[in-house]
């Protein structure tokens, strides 16, 4: 009779052997073209804004806002989660994934009320992104203040 | 009642399963057990305003179906053991609020139903005539509580778990017409076949 | 339209490829590791902020345009860029105000559209 640890390990190996694997090549291909497509749409909007005379910062902000609005619209129509099922990281990594992670809890927690549901729980998925992004940015700012880090790669 | 070893109890008067009832959601209705369910739903909301209210309604209707199938008047039913996955077992406790049967809320996750059967059996052994055991779960309400909002575009791996949307209930009794070993035959020859869905 | 004649098609192709590759890396993380989507987003944002702070990320932005700014690495880069510009102008106060100022549009849009969507739509059951 095997000791319990051996049996547990054997069982885990058996489970891993029998579990169907994610079709990683298909997933990567779908992630590639969906992600590329979303970035290309952003690029077209960006170039159009620059063509119209706006500066880089404003164009970048407009690209973000329009892609976020598109993602919120698709999430509201129950289409985005079907795209996400196929594209995986292709819709998660661009800013559309961030927008979806704010809109989806907002819709879901409506049944708990507008203040305590939508208002309080809107950031259950996207909260960490904001916390770590902003904190890291502050650290970057403070480090820049002390050493001029922009001059590291000349 | 005898205790055998550390974990087993042997009953002197084994309990009988008098009747069962089950209501299941649309995805479960596509499975091979569909013809055994008393009712299959068209959608997970069942006309309610939230997933949790829908789950309460499923529990309530399942227990009501069980009581009417068994023919035992509800004031003769002595205890009800019910549980589900949500915080404070809210679906069972709110769904069975109007049942007027002394209520034990239990939590055992996937083992809730068997836990209910075991606890009710010990009560039946102790002299109780009729006890109900019920367990339920709902995909949408447990996704909301334990996992991700429904609209989130995340990719589920092929081995990810899927919570069932259904409730099941049984009536345990001391005074059943058949002993526990005939219960299988009772289900197969059930007179309620024509009420099953599609 | 004159816009399409002056359009940089090579930039679009580079943008498509770089954006796609960044997503493929994320996909490999999803499939091969046990990281949840939230953790992967946190890794991307933090990495983007650090690379932006070190001045490395702007080379990728010059090469691929929106292929580098649309993914969440670009969001982090935007935070870092805004912070550093604010630090140049107002010193230590800028470290705190700059990041949010730069990404204000995106965050405000997400919150607002999320609220609107919650008013209008209801979540539907997932189909496997």
């Amino acid at each position: 009779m095997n000791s319990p640890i051996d049996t547990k390990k054997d069982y885990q190996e058996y489970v891993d052997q029998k579990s169907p694997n994610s079709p990683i090549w298909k997933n990567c291909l779908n992630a590639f073209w969906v992600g590329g497509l979303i970035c290309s749409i952003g690029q077209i909007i960006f170039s159009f804004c620059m063509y119209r005379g706006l500066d880089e910062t404003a164009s970048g902000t407009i690209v973000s806002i329009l892609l976020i609005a598109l993602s919120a619209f698709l999430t509201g129509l129950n289409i985005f989660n079907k795209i996400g099922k196929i594209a995986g990281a292709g819709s998660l990594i661009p800013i559309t994934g961030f927008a979806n992670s704010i809109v989806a809890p907002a819709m879901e927690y409506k049944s708990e009320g507008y203040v305590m549901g939508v208002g309080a729980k809107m950031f259950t998925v996207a909260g960490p992104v904001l916390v770590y992004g902003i904190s890291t940015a502050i650290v970057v700012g403070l480090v820049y203040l002390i050493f001029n880090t922009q001059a590291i790669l000349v | 009642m005898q205790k055998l070893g550390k974990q087993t109890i042997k009953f002197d008067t084994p309990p009988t399963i008098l009747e069962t009832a089950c209501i299941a959601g649309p995805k479960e209705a596509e499975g091979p057990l569909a013809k055994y369910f008393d009712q299959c739903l068209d959608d997970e909301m069942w006309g309610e305003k939230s997933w949790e209210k829908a789950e309460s309604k499923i529990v309530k209707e399942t227990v009501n179906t069980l009581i009417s199938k068994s023919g035992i008047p509800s004031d003769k039913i002595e205890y009800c053991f019910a549980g589900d996955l949500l915080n404070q077992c809210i679906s069972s406790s709110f769904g069975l609020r109007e049942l007027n049967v002394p209520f034990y809320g239990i939590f055992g996750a996937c083992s809730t139903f068997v836990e209910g059967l075991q606890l009710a059996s010990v009560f039946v052994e102790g002299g109780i005539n009729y006890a109900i055991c019920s367990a339920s779960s709902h995909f949408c309400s447990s996704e909301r509580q334990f996992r991700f909002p429904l609209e989130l575009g995340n990719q589920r791996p092929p081995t990810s778990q899927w919570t069932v949307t259904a409730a099941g209930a049984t009536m345990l009794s001391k005074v059943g017409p058949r002993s526990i070993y005939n219960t299988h035959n009772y289900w197969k020859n059930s007179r309620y076949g024509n009420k099953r869905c599609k | 339209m004159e816009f399409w004649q002056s359009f940089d098609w090579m930039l679009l192709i580079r943008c498509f490829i770089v954006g796609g590759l960044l997503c493929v890396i994320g996909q490999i993380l999803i499939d091969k590791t046990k990281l949840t989507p939230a953790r992967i987003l946190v890794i991307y944002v933090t990495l983007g902020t650090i690379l932006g702070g070190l001045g490395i990320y702007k080379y990728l932005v010059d090469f691929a345009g929106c292929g580098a700014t649309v993914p969440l690495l670009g969001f982090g880069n935007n935070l870092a860029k805004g912070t550093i510009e604010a630090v140049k102008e107002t010193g230590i106060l800028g470290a705190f105000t700059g990041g949010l100022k730069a990404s204000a549009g995106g965050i405000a849009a997400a919150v607002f559209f999320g609220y609107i969507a919650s008013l209008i739509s209801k979540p539907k059951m997932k189909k496997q």
Side-chain angles (χ1 to χ4, degrees):
Chain A
M1 183 76 175
N2 288 339
S3 74
I5 296 181
D6 279 351
T7 331
K8 228 190 221 178
K9 206 171 66 129
D10 289 343
Y11 182 71
Q12 190 56 49
E13 281 169 8
Y14 178 65
V15 167
D16 287 339
Q17 185 200 333
K18 290 286 182 187
S19 307
N21 285 325
S22 308
I24 191 165
W25 291 112
K26 195 170 89 156
N27 284 346
C28 285
L29 191 68
N30 285 329
F32 181 78
W33 74 262
V34 174
L37 183 67
I38 295 175
C39 293
S40 307
I41 294 174
Q43 180 65 53
I44 293 174
I45 300 174
F46 186 83
S47 302
F48 188 74
C49 290
M50 296 280 277
Y51 170 75
R52 286 295 183 141
L54 293 168
D55 70 340
E56 259 192 46
T57 328
S59 306
T61 311
I62 289 181
V63 167
S64 296
I65 293 178
L66 284 178
L67 284 178
I68 287 172
L70 179 69
S71 167
F73 182 64
L74 292 176
T75 307
L77 290 180
N78 193 37
I79 297 175
F80 195 95
N81 66 339
K82 299 190 174 97
I83 299 175
K85 200 166 75 166
I86 302 172
S91 60
L92 177 76
I93 302 287
I95 202 131
T96 48
F98 174 72
N100 172 250
S101 69
I102 290 185
V103 177
M107 284 169 62
E108 179 71 55
Y109 293 109
K110 177 166 82 167
S111 61
E112 294 181 28
Y114 281 106
V115 173
M116 294 311 291
V118 176
K121 297 201 178 167
M122 199 187 259
F123 289 100
T124 39
V125 185
V129 172
L130 290 174
V131 169
Y132 284 94
I134 293 171
S135 305
T136 316
I138 292 177
V139 169
V140 159
L142 293 173
V143 167
Y144 176 76
L145 201 59
I146 306 173
F147 323 94
N148 184 359
T149 56
Q150 291 288 281
I152 278 187
L153 281 185
V154 177
Chain B
M1 184 161 93
Q2 280 174 277
K3 186 88 183 297
L4 307 175
K6 269 185 116 172
Q7 291 169 254
T8 309
I9 298 178
K10 185 176 169 192
F11 296 125
D12 297 322
T13 52
T16 311
I17 294 181
L18 270 191
E19 191 54 82
T20 63
C22 175
I23 296 182
K27 188 178 164 79
E28 291 71 26
E30 295 167 18
L33 300 176
K35 56 184 192 288
Y36 298 108
F37 301 145
D38 292 84
Q39 189 177 351
C40 300
L41 304 174
D42 292 325
D43 70 295
E44 285 78 5
M45 270 292 209
W46 207 358
E48 295 292 326
K49 289 218 167 70
S50 73
W51 309 120
E52 289 76 10
K53 286 187 176 147
E55 193 181 346
S56 297
K57 186 172 180 183
I58 296 177
V59 173
K60 188 170 85 162
E61 293 302 321
T62 305
V63 171
N64 287 341
T65 310
L66 173 72
I67 293 175
S68 61
K69 274 167 83 174
S70 69
I72 311 285
S74 64
D75 51 2
K76 280 243 180 94
I77 301 174
E78 289 164 88
Y79 288 103
C80 174
F81 293 82
D84 58 77
L85 291 175
L86 300 182
N87 287 333
Q88 305 182 355
C89 288
I90 212 159
S91 305
S92 311
S93 39
F94 274 61
L96 300 177
R97 239 188 328 196
E98 285 133 22
L99 191 59
N100 280 328
V101 169
F103 176 84
Y104 280 100
I106 53 178
F107 181 80
C110 305
S111 67
T112 305
F113 195 65
V114 177
E115 181 182 338
L117 285 176
Q118 290 177 338
L119 292 172
S121 305
V122 174
F123 272 61
V124 165
E125 173 80 357
I128 299 303
N129 289 316
Y130 301 106
I132 294 180
C133 310
S134 154
S136 80
S137 66
H138 194 292
F139 176 75
C140 304
S141 59
S142 27
E143 280 289 296
R144 181 214 293 251
Q145 189 171 314
F146 299 110
R147 296 192 198 101
F148 303 111
L150 290 173
E151 294 298 331
L152 195 67
N154 56 336
Q155 213 175 31
R156 302 167 74 98
T159 50
S160 68
Q161 292 189 332
W162 189 277
T163 308
V164 154
T165 304
T170 61
M171 178 88 72
L172 282 189
S173 164
K174 194 173 66 172
V175 292
R178 292 165 175 72
S179 80
I180 196 160
Y181 296 102
N182 285 344
T183 311
H184 286 297
N185 290 336
Y186 185 83
W187 285 343
K188 264 163 66 176
N189 298 332
S190 171
R191 290 164 280 151
Y192 297 99
N194 58 337
K195 268 213 217 143
R196 312 281 193 225
C197 63
K198 311 193 199 95
Chain C
M1 228 166 75
E2 201 199 291
F3 166 65
W4 293 112
Q5 284 164 351
S6 63
F7 190 73
D8 190 349
W9 291 99
M10 281 313 296
L11 181 62
L12 188 70
I13 292 177
R14 292 199 301 263
C15 155
F16 185 90
I17 293 177
V18 169
L21 281 177
L22 288 174
C23 294
V24 167
I25 296 173
Q27 184 65 45
I28 294 175
L29 286 176
I30 292 179
D31 280 336
K32 286 292 180 190
T33 67
K34 294 245 188 301
L35 291 170
T36 59
R39 291 198 181 97
I40 293 178
L41 291 184
V42 166
I43 290 174
Y44 267 66
V45 158
T46 317
L47 200 62
T49 315
I50 293 175
L51 290 177
L54 291 175
I56 300 174
Y57 203 73
K58 74 170 168 42
Y59 295 110
L60 193 63
V61 174
D62 291 336
F63 177 68
C66 278
T69 57
V70 167
L72 228 56
L73 286 167
F75 184 75
N77 176 52
N78 203 18
L79 287 173
K81 213 167 65 162
T83 310
I84 288 176
E85 267 162 37
V87 165
K88 279 190 205 159
E89 284 174 30
T90 53
I92 194 164
L93 199 61
F96 289 85
T97 60
L100 272 176
K101 237 196 304 191
S103 58
I107 297 176
V111 167
F112 182 67
F113 291 128
Y115 190 76
I116 301 279
S118 80
L119 290 176
I120 301 176
S121 336
K122 285 164 69 158
K124 304 244 174 36
M125 172 67 181
K126 259 190 160 72
K127 299 278 176 253
Q128 176 65 303

